[in-house]
Amino acid sequence: MSDKLPNLIDPLLFAERRSILAGSLKISTLERLSGMVANTEADIEVDVRFAKQGKRAVVSGSIKTLLELECQSCLQILAWPIELSFKLAVVSSLQEADQLELDCEPLLLDGEKVSLNDLIEDEILLAIPDYPKHGYDCIARQQSKDPGFDDNSQTQTNNPFSVLAKLKKTGE
């Protein structure tokens, strides 16, 4: 068991040794994810286990973190807890991936080593919704808190066809 997580891992060697990696990462170390969150200094708790299932190497584990995303309705900070588990089977070709059991996702190994950071980042990105929003009507709640909000001012807009309505009444 290790507290420091390596970036590059050899999943075949780790599976032979039945290794366990547990520790934490900063979101700032994950390039794609850090561009999507408000707080890049938050920790990601990771527990990764390597094993053999028959002749196949299997990587399984869990990821826990609390992401601060931007709500796509009100543009305020939205706390999004992530608690997920994964199970990946190491394959060397797409044909092998097609033959996997249903409880495993493929991990295509095209060299000797795999980036553990990329693997963790991919799993988190798959768990984030395309359009994160609060579970309630956040815009209505925001409007009720704003004393200067005038509901009529937003409903009355310039209608580009108002000239046509006048022409219709006058018959010109």
Side-chain angles (χ1 to χ4, degrees), residues 50-62:
F50 300 87
K52 293 285 252 182
Q53 210 172 43
K55 292 184 177 184
R56 192 172 310 282
V58 176
V59 180
S60 61
S62 64

Side-chain angles (χ1 to χ4, degrees), residues 87-105:
K87 186 174 181 183
L88 308 170
V90 179
V91 296
S92 59
S93 68
L94 293 176
Q95 290 79 18
E96 280 185 60
D98 290 338
Q99 298 170 356
L100 283 179
E101 297 174 20
L102 293 178
D103 69 334
C104 290
E105 292 291 321

Side-chain angles (χ1 to χ4, degrees), residues 73-116:
S73 293
C74 67
L75 302 178
Q76 298 298 315
I77 297 298
L78 165 67
W80 195 268
I82 299 281
E83 261 189 63
L84 57 96
S85 58
F86 60 92
K87 186 174 181 183
L88 308 170
V90 179
V91 296
S92 59
S93 68
L94 293 176
Q95 290 79 18
E96 280 185 60
D98 290 338
Q99 298 170 356
L100 283 179
E101 297 174 20
L102 293 178
D103 69 334
C104 290
E105 292 291 321
L107 173 60
L108 189 60
L109 185 65
D110 55 359
E112 278 186 24
K113 299 199 179 226
V114 174
S115 171
L116 182 62

